[in-house]
């Protein structure tokens, strides 16, 4: 089945430092979504990328979709304590028969030290 | 709108017991799904439904049953609970399939002893 590998598993930063998490797939993706889960909470949708090479920004967050549509990244500039949580990517294969199946990466747990 | 609701929030079962985790949404979403979350393994898809009367298996369907008799409800049944099913279970819904954002419920934390 489809696998989406996400790295790193953990990231500890000082407040103000930057943070990046990466998702990689061996197959071409139709789209990729990013979610954030606060400790003890549920995943909340952040953004979806669909086009090859797409870059989207939300304030301090920058999302990229690779040219080959096999990888994606989420970059946070100047982290704040409110950024703490687990960040997940989720993707669907392009052209597959698994309509409706969204595969999640393992997630990156971000801790921010004040 | 209440969004996606799940009951119960916490549950402890003994091995071999059966139970149903409830999920309901009031957004008239066609697509609903169940995930389990275990440390270091992300969210794994158990079953999903693209509309009332239609269900399909995800990555880890063994030991679980689902049905979708209405658009609003998508219960998950554990047939004979096992300690390996100790996990946090999330229900999610979206207007369509995987190309739409998913709205997650608050989760059910299940412990099987």
């Amino acid at each position: 089945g489809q696998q989406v590998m996400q790295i790193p598993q953990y990231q500890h930063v000082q407040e103000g430092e930057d943070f990046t998490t990466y998702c990689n797939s061996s197959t071409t993706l139709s789209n990729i979504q990013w979610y954030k889960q606060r400790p003890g909470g549920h995943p909340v949708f952040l953004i979806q990328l669909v086009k090859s090479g797409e870059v989207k920004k939300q304030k301090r967050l920058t999302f990229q979709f690779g040219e080959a549509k096999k990888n994606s990244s989420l970059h946070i500039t100047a982290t704040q304590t409110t950024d703490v949580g687990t960040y997940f990517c989720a993707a669907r294969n392009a052209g597959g028969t698994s309509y409706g199946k969204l595969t999640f990466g393992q997630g990156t747990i971000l801790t921010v030290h004040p | 709108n209440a969004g996606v609701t799940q009951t119960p929030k916490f549950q402890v079962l003994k091995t071999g017991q059966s139970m149903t985790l409830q999920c309901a949404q009031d957004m008239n979403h066609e697509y609903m799904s169940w995930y389990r979350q275990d440390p270091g393994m992300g969210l794994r898809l158990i079953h999903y439904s693209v509309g009332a009367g239609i269900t399909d298996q995800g990555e880890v369907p063994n030991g679980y049953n689902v049905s979708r008799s209405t658009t609003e409800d998508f219960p998950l049944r554990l047939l004979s609970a096992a300690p390996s099913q100790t996990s946090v279970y999330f229900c999610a819904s979206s207007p369509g399939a995987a190309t739409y954002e998913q709205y997650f419920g608050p989760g059910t934390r299940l412990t099987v002893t």
Side-chain angles (χ1 to χ4, degrees), chain B residues 35-106:
Chain B
Y35 296 88
R36 59 177 290 173
Q37 184 174 29
D38 303 293
M41 302 190 73
L43 292 152
R44 291 183 291 169
L45 182 65
I46 304 171
H47 285 286
Y48 66 99
S49 169
V50 298
I54 306 169
T55 64
D56 204 351
Q57 296 181 348
E59 299 173 63
V60 289
N62 292 341
Y64 307 94
N65 270 0
V66 292
S67 60
R68 184 96 180 270
S69 55
T70 67
T71 299
E72 295 77 20
D73 300 299
F74 191 44
L76 178 72
R77 281 181 284 278
L78 279 69
L79 308 172
S80 177
S84 60
Q85 293 178 305
T86 293
S87 188
V88 180
Y89 291 84
F90 288 101
C91 177
S93 75
S94 67
T99 53
Y100 291 85
E101 75 172 272
Q102 305 232 17
Y103 296 79
F104 283 82

Side-chain angles (χ1 to χ4, degrees), chain B residues 1 7-8 10 17 22 30-31 36 41 50 61 66 69 102 105:
Chain B
N1 284 354
T7 56
F10 302 94
Q17 287 184 318
Q22 301 292 342
E30 289 297 320
Y31 181 88
R36 59 177 290 173
M41 302 190 73
V50 298
V66 292
S69 55
Q102 305 232 17

Side-chain angles (χ1 to χ4, degrees), chain A residues 22-25 27-32 34 49-55 63-74:
Chain A
Y22 302 89
C23 271
N24 297 291
S25 170
T27 58
T28 303
L29 302 172
S30 172
N31 63 306
I32 194 157
W34 285 92
L49 304 172
V50 178
K51 299 177 184 175
S52 167
E54 190 169 13
V55 177
F63 304 84
Q64 293 189 334
F65 202 7
E67 293 290 340
K69 299 184 74 173
K70 290 185 176 182
N71 56 72
S72 180
S73 65
L74 158 59

